[in-house]
């Protein structure tokens, strides 16, 4: 398995593993024209772990939860479903899984993370499902922009692409915007 350590500098001190969180994101184009965006979170300890109510043997997930949002091309949430297979408080945690349905009607591009907090206050939500929800706008953009990239010689789009200004490579004063989207290019500010 590839780990962050494979790509980072050698640690300054010897260490041992204390916790592993794995997040898996998957998107599906549906035959009915909609999109299913799915996320899974798994937390595992390398040693036995005990909460106030539950003992987890070494390697058994403490959290194993999933979220699915169904969206349209405008990125409106049409359906939302949460699932909790493993959790630290089995008698309480599952009550929060149905609350993700409150995300129906939100839009992934219009303040979605703030909308999650507004529609499901912290005292009423599962923080892990909310963390997964916060990843959905990026997953949607990565998925739904597929095939919509402008190649050399293609007709330029009439509306500003979402990616412009979203990262260093697509900064408004950068070479990628100048080359592929010159109508939205702006000169660098003088330093």
């Amino acid at each position: 398995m590839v780990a962050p350590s494979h790509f980072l500098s050698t640690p300054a001190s010897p260490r041992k593993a204390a916790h592993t969180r794995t997040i898996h994101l998957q998107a599906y184009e549906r035959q009915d024209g909609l999109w299913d965006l799915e996320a899974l979170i798994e937390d595992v300890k390398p040693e036995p772990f005990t909460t106030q109510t539950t003992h987890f043997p070494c390697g058994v997930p403490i959290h194993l939860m999933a979220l699915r949002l169904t969206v349209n091309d405008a990125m409106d949430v049409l359906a939302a479903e949460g699932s909790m297979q493993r959790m630290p408080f089995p008698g309480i945690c599952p009550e929060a899984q149905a609350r993700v349905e409150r995300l129906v009607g939100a839009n992934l591009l219009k303040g979605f993370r703030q909308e999650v907090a507004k529609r499901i206050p912290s005292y009423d939500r599962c923080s892990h499902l909310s963390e997964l929800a916060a990843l959905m706008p990026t997953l949607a953009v990565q998925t739904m922009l597929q095939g919509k990239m402008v190649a050399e010689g293609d007709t330029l789009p009439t509306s500003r692409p979402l990616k412009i200004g979203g990262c260093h490579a697509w900064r408004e004063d950068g070479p990628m915007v100048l080359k592929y989207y010159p109508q939205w290019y702006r000169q660098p500010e003088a330093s």
Side-chain angles (χ1 to χ4, degrees):
M1 178 167 95
V2 176
S5 296
H6 290 111
F7 305 104
L8 300 170
S9 62
T10 302
S13 174
R15 60 196 190 156
K16 68 175 188 170
H19 185 84
T20 300
R21 169 167 284 183
T22 304
I23 294 176
H24 182 86
L25 303 174
Q26 184 76 47
Y28 299 90
E29 184 175 7
R30 296 170 30 150
Q31 289 183 354
D32 61 5
L34 301 177
W35 302 85
D36 280 338
L37 308 174
E38 297 181 352
L40 175 79
I41 189 169
E42 180 182 42
D43 284 324
V44 177
K45 300 279 188 194
E47 298 177 5
F49 181 78
T50 303
T51 68
Q52 290 82 351
T53 63
T54 309
H55 176 75
F56 294 90
C58 174
V60 172
I62 298 164
H63 299 108
L64 184 58
M65 303 174 179
L67 176 69
R68 176 187 298 136
L69 299 182
T70 301
V71 301
N72 59 18
D73 284 337
M75 298 198 195
D76 300 312
V77 178
L78 305 178
E81 174 186 352
S83 173
M84 297 180 175
Q85 300 303 306
R86 305 275 317 175
M87 74 282 321
F89 309 110
I92 300 169
C93 291
E95 295 171 11
Q97 91 185 5
R99 300 212 175 56
V100 300
E101 293 172 5
R102 295 179 189 168
L103 299 177
V104 172
N107 183 284
L108 295 180
L109 298 180
K110 298 177 182 170
F112 183 71
R113 291 172 181 94
Q114 293 79 14
E115 211 42 45
V116 171
K118 181 176 141 189
R119 291 172 182 241
I120 315 171
S122 59
Y123 62 83
D124 208 20
R125 70 175 169 237
C126 167
S127 61
H128 297 84
L129 290 177
S130 294
E131 286 180 51
L132 294 178
L135 300 172
M136 294 301 195
T138 303
L139 177 61
V141 169
Q142 290 291 319
T143 300
M144 296 164 79
L145 285 180
Q146 178 183 2
K148 297 181 183 179
M149 304 296 284
V150 173
E152 288 189 64
D154 284 355
T155 305
L156 293 174
T158 57
S159 61
R160 179 183 159 119
L162 293 171
K163 61 188 162 196
I164 295 178
C167 71
H168 178 73
W170 289 108
R171 66 188 188 277
E172 293 174 328
D173 64 353
M176 293 294 289
V177 173
L178 177 61
K179 183 174 182 176
Y180 295 104
Y181 304 105
Q183 69 272 42
W184 289 289
Y185 175 78
R186 68 174 178 76
Q187 291 291 327
E189 293 181 17
S191 5

